[in-house]
Amino acid sequence: MLKFDLSDLKYFLIIIAFILTISSSSAQEPGAPRGLLCELLREPAAAVITDKTPEFGWIVNDSRRGAVQTAFQILVASDEALLVQDKADMWDSKKIISSQSINIEYHGRPLLENKSYWWQVRTWDAAGKPSPFSKPQQFRTGNLNDTQRAWPAESKWVRLENGDMVLENRQKASYHEIAPKEFLQTGPGHYFVDFGKAAFATIKVTLKSERAGDSLVVYLGERRQHNTVNKKPGRTNIGFKKAVLPLERGKHEYTVQLPRFISRFPNGQMLPEHTLEVTPFRYAEFVNAPEGLVAGDIRQIALFYYFDDQASSFTCSNDALNRVWDLCKYTLKATPFLALYVDGNRERMPYEADAYIQQQGHYCVDREFSVARYTNQFLIFNPSWPTEWQMHTVFMAYSDYMHTGNTETIARFYDDLRAKTLIDLERDDGLISTTTGLVNDEFLHKIHYRGKSFRDIVDWPAGTPVGKKQANNQGPTPEGERDGYIFMPINTVVNAFHYRALVLMAEMARAVGKQDDALLLKNRAEKVRASFNRLLFDGKRGIYVDGVGTAHATLHANMFPLAFGLVPEKWIPGVVKYIKSKDMACSVYGAQYLLQALYNAGEAEYALGLMTSDSKRSWLNMIRVGSTMTTEAWDEYYKPNLTWNHAWGSAPANIIPRELMGITPLQPAFRKVRIKPQPGNLESASIKMPTIRGFIYCTWKKSDSGFHLDVTIPANTSAEVWLPTKSVDGVKENGQDICSVKDILLKGEKDNYVICETSAGRYHFSWGESGK
């Protein structure tokens, strides 16, 4: 992969090496498949599966240009020793002519409950050459007939024969020891420790005490105050805990046993009793410690969900953006510690909008699918209160489908997902409202809502009314994070979500063979679009208003329609101008859709400016105030009771790969990918992005000699590559005129891009101008 800071000479040398690689590739054969998945689990031996016919997947291991899989063979055995001999007693699929490398359903002898099995696979290439078999992967079955569940698809803890506790159908989090980054003795018996980053953790310390009966006081916290833990969180929920450890005589290892987290919220999640309780902290302070304590005696015991730090990377010529990326990526590593997505430490409760943003980012930083799927299944049956949040479950299901190609969730919960579009609230023109009497018991039962406060949200938090005292969960001004949005019965933001949910539901209907319903949903979406633009757009001002019956307009009433494809092309300039006049007048949640809208409109430089801003409403402000994870709000000024561990603030983790670097699936499971970089004023950037089929690499650099773009497409995948240049004239691939490269199909020129299609492999594009 080409790094952004390479000189032109280094570019030349790499191109030469690449040509030599291609010239010798014809003699190569495919390697053993890697990246094996069983039921979308990377480590199925560390879980149990409850599907009687599990599905298998793998990465085709072939770096040659144009590499495809033409056939495969799967072996499944009850003993790993059989696979060593390339034998199988459960299933030998024989050679199957197919390019399918994911979602291959088991078709062998019936699997037994509570038993271990092993499987392996090999593939054939276009020339009919077989690969070696993959390394065997173990998977375990659990209870295959358990119907006693609190809700469909509930995942339970299971004890294995060796005593280990694992989860059904998803990976579990595990504890990791982290050494101090800074260790200070600040006085007699007084020490201060910095672990570098906050984590959901407890702490372990080894001490030697001269006598029994003494006590060690331990403070754990996310915020530092000089060389102590900040012990006055005030109205915030920035982590802080105090523990007292009675000491025994002699040298002993002590682990702080934190009090169990007790949820006060309806869907709050708690760690099981067999695990250590955790709290978010970066800093530790020891008071009354025996002399002789050293850094090597102290470890943070951090609870992380299964995460591969090497699965993704990003670097660019803008150091601020690099820091924002690192902040967001680490957030996505640290926050799924409960093996599903929750909203932070205060509530530990899943919310649909939070989970959707976390899902989008998680897909971009790790090759992980089960936690997002499980969270969405949980939320289908255990929803939170906001209107728009219901429709995020449709968004999540569609994203799961596009990233995995798997339709099981759609097929199993089709009616539930369809209800989540809120189609039952439509009036004759297709628009919906929560205030017209249709939100009755029947409707609420259909969407599985059991609360008493189903209502629109737009954004969060709300502002403080004039003359009122600011509550802990309110913004300081009347506008709040909603830009002063006026709530009307026909709400612009709600109906923008309704339109997008219908569009996505129609696609999912087609995916599971419900063609008639797909057509109905598509027609409903078109009706909503027509009514939306007829009733909610102010033609004189060229912008959308907050709802039917008000002339008031806000950032939100315009960014959501632009993000969801509702704005006719001729109206886009006016809408964009209005959006840009508002700056970041939304929450960290709203920033997801603001940035998405801006990139949809080609406003790359402005979007980049928002992501790298150092204002109080910025990711750099989160870093500046001391957090190492994204925060619940831009600053405690905007929400006094915020947490410093809230993944719904991690939008750049998906915006950078999907919008700035432009990598998105065109077909389910990345069978075909689009790469459409929007460089803006960045000089260079480089990314490694995981997909279910393998890793995509994209690197570009502007220099005096022109624009250089390198992409690597995994085997068994094709790509639509958008080159950011106005004309095909002068565009080369590996030094050859692009029009004469047999592996590349030119599709045309559009919107200052040259569009071409490629097969798998590595490509080096260059042209003489420095890009748009």
Side-chain angles (χ1 to χ4, degrees):
M1 183 178 66
L2 203 58
K3 298 295 184 182
F4 74 89
D5 59 350
L6 292 174
S7 66
D8 290 338
L9 175 61
K10 289 182 179 178
Y11 259 90
F12 176 75
L13 293 174
I14 284 186
I15 292 170
I16 295 298
F18 177 66
I19 292 172
L20 292 174
T21 300
I22 293 298
S23 67
S24 63
S25 65
S26 59
Q28 295 178 358
E29 296 180 355
R34 49 195 173 84
L36 272 59
L37 300 172
C38 179
E39 285 295 285
L40 298 175
L41 299 175
R42 292 173 290 175
E43 294 289 342
V48 295
I49 62 171
T50 61
D51 190 337
K52 297 178 182 180
T53 55
E55 292 169 316
F56 304 107
W58 57 86
I59 294 174
V60 177
N61 186 7
D62 194 337
S63 62
R64 293 172 293 174
R65 183 174 286 193
V68 293
Q69 171 191 295
T70 59
F72 68 85
Q73 180 185 11
I74 293 175
L75 301 179
V76 181
S78 60
D79 190 324
E80 186 178 10
L82 290 172
L83 295 186
V84 173
Q85 307 171 54
D86 294 341
K87 296 179 180 179
D89 61 340
M90 297 303 295
W91 184 38
D92 181 350
S93 72
K94 307 299 182 182
K95 182 179 179 181
I96 295 178
I97 305 301
S98 173
S99 64
Q100 189 174 351
S101 58
I102 54 171
N103 301 316
I104 310 296
E105 190 173 80
Y106 176 78
H107 285 289
R109 295 169 53 196
L111 299 175
L112 301 178
E113 292 187 341
N114 305 311
K115 183 170 175 54
S116 289
Y117 297 94
W118 287 260
W119 77 284
Q120 63 183 17
V121 61
R122 64 173 171 169
T123 63
W124 279 260
D125 67 7
K129 296 178 180 178
S131 75
F133 272 105
S134 67
K135 293 181 179 179
Q137 184 184 65
Q138 181 184 5
F139 67 93
R140 304 174 188 270
T141 57
N143 189 332
L144 303 178
N145 299 286
D146 184 4
T147 58
Q148 301 300 312
R149 299 184 183 273
W151 50 274
E154 180 195 15
S155 168
K156 299 178 181 179
W157 283 97
V158 175
R159 186 180 298 278
L160 301 178
E161 290 181 357
N162 63 4
D164 289 349
M165 298 293 290
V166 299
L167 285 163
E168 296 175 317
N169 306 316
R170 53 181 172 142
Q171 310 287 179
K172 66 174 183 177
S174 57
Y175 294 93
H176 300 257
E177 293 192 7
I178 299 174
K181 301 295 184 184
E182 180 184 11
F183 177 80
L184 300 172
Q185 182 169 8
T186 58
H190 201 150
Y191 298 86
F192 177 76
V193 179
D194 178 4
F195 290 98
K197 291 181 179 178
F200 286 88
T202 186
I203 196 166
K204 181 173 72 175
V205 58
T206 301
L207 294 167
K208 182 178 181 181
S209 178
E210 296 298 328
R211 58 185 177 275
D214 288 347
S215 295
L216 173 70
V217 180
V218 183
Y219 298 100
L220 306 175
E222 290 181 281
R223 179 178 265 172
R224 181 175 187 163
Q225 185 174 13
H226 304 298
N227 290 329
T228 66
V229 169
N230 187 310
K231 304 174 184 66
K232 296 181 179 180
R235 294 201 288 175
T236 76
N237 281 275
I238 299 169
F240 166 69
K241 293 288 183 183
K242 176 184 177 181
V244 179
L245 289 178
L247 302 181
E248 299 177 23
R249 187 175 183 275
K251 188 174 183 179
H252 297 277
E253 180 180 279
Y254 301 89
T255 299
V256 171
Q257 303 289 327
L258 294 164
R260 307 306 294 189
F261 175 88
I262 305 297
S263 175
R264 298 180 292 107
F265 300 91
N267 292 326
Q269 302 296 300
M270 293 174 284
L271 287 169
E273 290 296 328
H274 67 265
T275 59
L276 287 169
E277 186 57 77
V278 295
T279 191
F281 73 92
R282 172 181 175 178
Y283 305 106
E285 183 182 348
F286 298 95
V287 179
N288 198 34
E291 291 299 321
L293 183 64
V294 296
D297 294 330
I298 304 167
R299 291 293 183 268
Q300 185 185 46
I301 310 300
L303 184 59
F304 290 121
Y305 184 76
Y306 188 98
F307 193 85
D308 180 2
D309 286 291
Q310 306 307 311
S312 64
S313 63
F314 172 78
T315 187
C316 72
S317 53
N318 187 311
D319 181 63
L321 191 62
N322 294 335
R323 295 170 68 199
V324 170
W325 165 265
D326 291 342
L327 172 75
C328 295
K329 178 179 176 178
Y330 179 71
T331 301
L332 296 166
K333 174 182 179 178
T335 51
F337 67 101
L338 288 160
L340 81 168
Y341 300 145
V342 296
D343 68 330
N345 193 56
R346 183 181 66 255
E347 297 180 355
R348 297 193 184 182
M349 173 178 165
Y351 283 94
E352 296 86 343
D354 309 50
Y356 174 69
I357 295 172
Q358 193 164 359
Q359 174 196 39
Q360 301 314 292
H362 206 166
Y363 285 157
C364 291
V365 299
D366 200 6
R367 189 170 172 261
E368 161 59 39
F369 310 103
S370 65
V371 67
R373 171 172 288 192
Y374 181 73
T375 302
N376 195 38
Q377 291 173 348
F378 176 90
L379 286 164
I380 289 171
F381 294 95
N382 301 278
S384 61
W385 58 267
T387 309
E388 300 95 310
W389 276 209
Q390 311 304 310
M391 292 176 275
H392 276 92
T393 60
V394 179
F395 290 19
M396 289 189 74
Y398 180 77
S399 189
D400 172 88
Y401 167 58
M402 290 302 291
H403 286 81
T404 68
N406 189 289
T407 58
E408 285 185 337
T409 293
I410 301 171
R412 183 178 181 185
F413 304 119
Y414 184 85
D415 291 340
D416 304 288
L417 288 166
R418 192 181 191 277
K420 296 285 186 172
T421 68
L422 306 191
I423 194 170
D424 291 336
L425 298 183
E426 283 189 355
R427 60 185 196 179
D428 290 343
D429 60 5
L431 300 182
I432 66 172
S433 173
T434 56
T435 64
T436 55
L438 294 177
V439 180
N440 52 32
D441 290 344
E442 181 182 358
F443 166 78
L444 295 175
H445 177 76
K446 201 169 184 179
I447 64 169
H448 305 290
Y449 182 70
R450 296 178 291 276
K452 298 180 180 180
S453 186
F454 185 78
R455 64 189 189 277
D456 305 346
I457 190 171
V458 174
D459 206 342
W460 188 259
T464 302
V466 175
K468 299 291 185 179
K469 182 180 178 181
Q470 181 185 8
N472 288 343
N473 64 349
Q474 288 182 327
T477 66
E479 293 78 15
E481 299 297 78
R482 296 168 171 164
D483 193 28
Y485 194 92
I486 302 296
F487 284 72
M488 303 298 292
I490 297 296
N491 182 319
T492 300
V493 170
V494 167
N495 279 282
F497 270 97
H498 178 52
Y499 167 77
R500 184 61 178 163
L502 289 172
V503 170
L504 300 184
M505 198 67 220
E507 291 293 319
M508 289 190 285
R510 275 190 284 274
V512 294
K514 296 181 179 291
Q515 304 302 330
D516 290 345
D517 204 33
L519 180 60
L520 183 152
L521 291 163
K522 179 183 178 182
N523 290 338
R524 290 285 189 95
E526 288 304 313
K527 178 188 282 190
V528 171
R529 191 176 194 272
S531 299
F532 189 96
N533 284 317
R534 185 178 73 254
L535 297 175
L536 296 168
F537 187 74
D538 184 336
K540 291 183 179 179
R541 292 187 288 168
I543 57 176
Y544 291 90
V545 295
D546 294 347
V548 174
T550 181
H552 191 267
T554 55
L555 171 64
H556 299 71
N558 288 271
M559 70 181 187
F560 284 106
L562 187 59
F564 296 153
L566 275 159
V567 185
E569 189 171 349
K570 63 182 179 180
W571 295 353
I572 290 177
V575 171
V576 167
K577 182 180 179 181
Y578 179 79
I579 287 174
K580 290 170 69 174
S581 74
K582 289 290 189 173
D583 197 50
M584 190 68 83
C586 61
S587 74
V588 296
Y589 151 75
Q592 168 71 36
Y593 295 105
L594 172 58
L595 292 170
Q596 187 176 318
L598 290 167
Y599 277 108
N600 283 357
E603 293 290 334
E605 289 191 13
Y606 185 75
L608 179 62
L610 292 179
M611 284 196 288
T612 56
S613 167
D614 64 355
S615 72
K616 207 165 192 173
R617 290 180 172 274
S618 72
W619 288 275
L620 290 183
N621 184 66
M622 299 180 190
I623 297 171
R624 182 169 55 240
V625 299
S627 186
T628 56
M629 297 183 230
T630 55
T631 56
E632 185 180 2
W634 296 117
D635 190 270
E636 60 196 271
Y637 172 78
Y638 299 110
K639 190 173 189 288
N641 72 341
L642 90 173
T643 61
W644 273 11
N645 41 69
H646 213 300
W648 86 333
S650 63
N654 76 82
I655 294 294
I656 290 170
R658 298 173 192 277
E659 307 293 351
L660 191 153
M661 303 304 288
I663 303 171
T664 54
L666 282 178
Q667 294 177 5
F670 280 86
R671 186 60 186 256
K672 186 174 185 179
V673 60
R674 173 181 290 157
I675 301 178
K676 183 184 178 182
Q678 296 196 53
N681 54 15
L682 274 182
E683 292 299 316
S684 58
S686 180
I687 196 166
K688 174 186 179 183
M689 179 175 164
T691 78
I692 198 166
R693 293 179 184 273
F695 299 99
I696 294 173
Y697 297 86
C698 179
T699 296
W700 47 260
K701 177 187 177 184
K702 302 174 187 176
S703 70
D704 292 340
S705 64
F707 195 104
H708 300 267
L709 173 66
D710 288 78
V711 297
T712 300
I713 311 300
N716 226 28
T717 305
S718 63
E720 181 184 276
V721 182
W722 291 54
L723 308 176
T725 181
K726 296 178 181 179
S727 171
V728 72
D729 295 338
V731 178
K732 300 182 183 299
E733 197 282 312
N734 259 346
Q736 183 179 348
D737 189 297
I738 192 174
C739 298
S740 61
V741 179
K742 66 176 182 178
D743 300 308
I744 296 175
L745 176 64
L746 285 173
K747 301 292 289 185
E749 300 169 355
K750 181 180 180 181
D751 299 333
N752 295 324
Y753 282 90
V754 170
I755 307 169
C756 61
E757 291 192 351
T758 73
S759 56
R762 302 186 182 98
Y763 297 84
H764 172 77
F765 301 97
S766 60
W767 52 93
E769 58 184 282
S770 59
K772 295 193 293 181

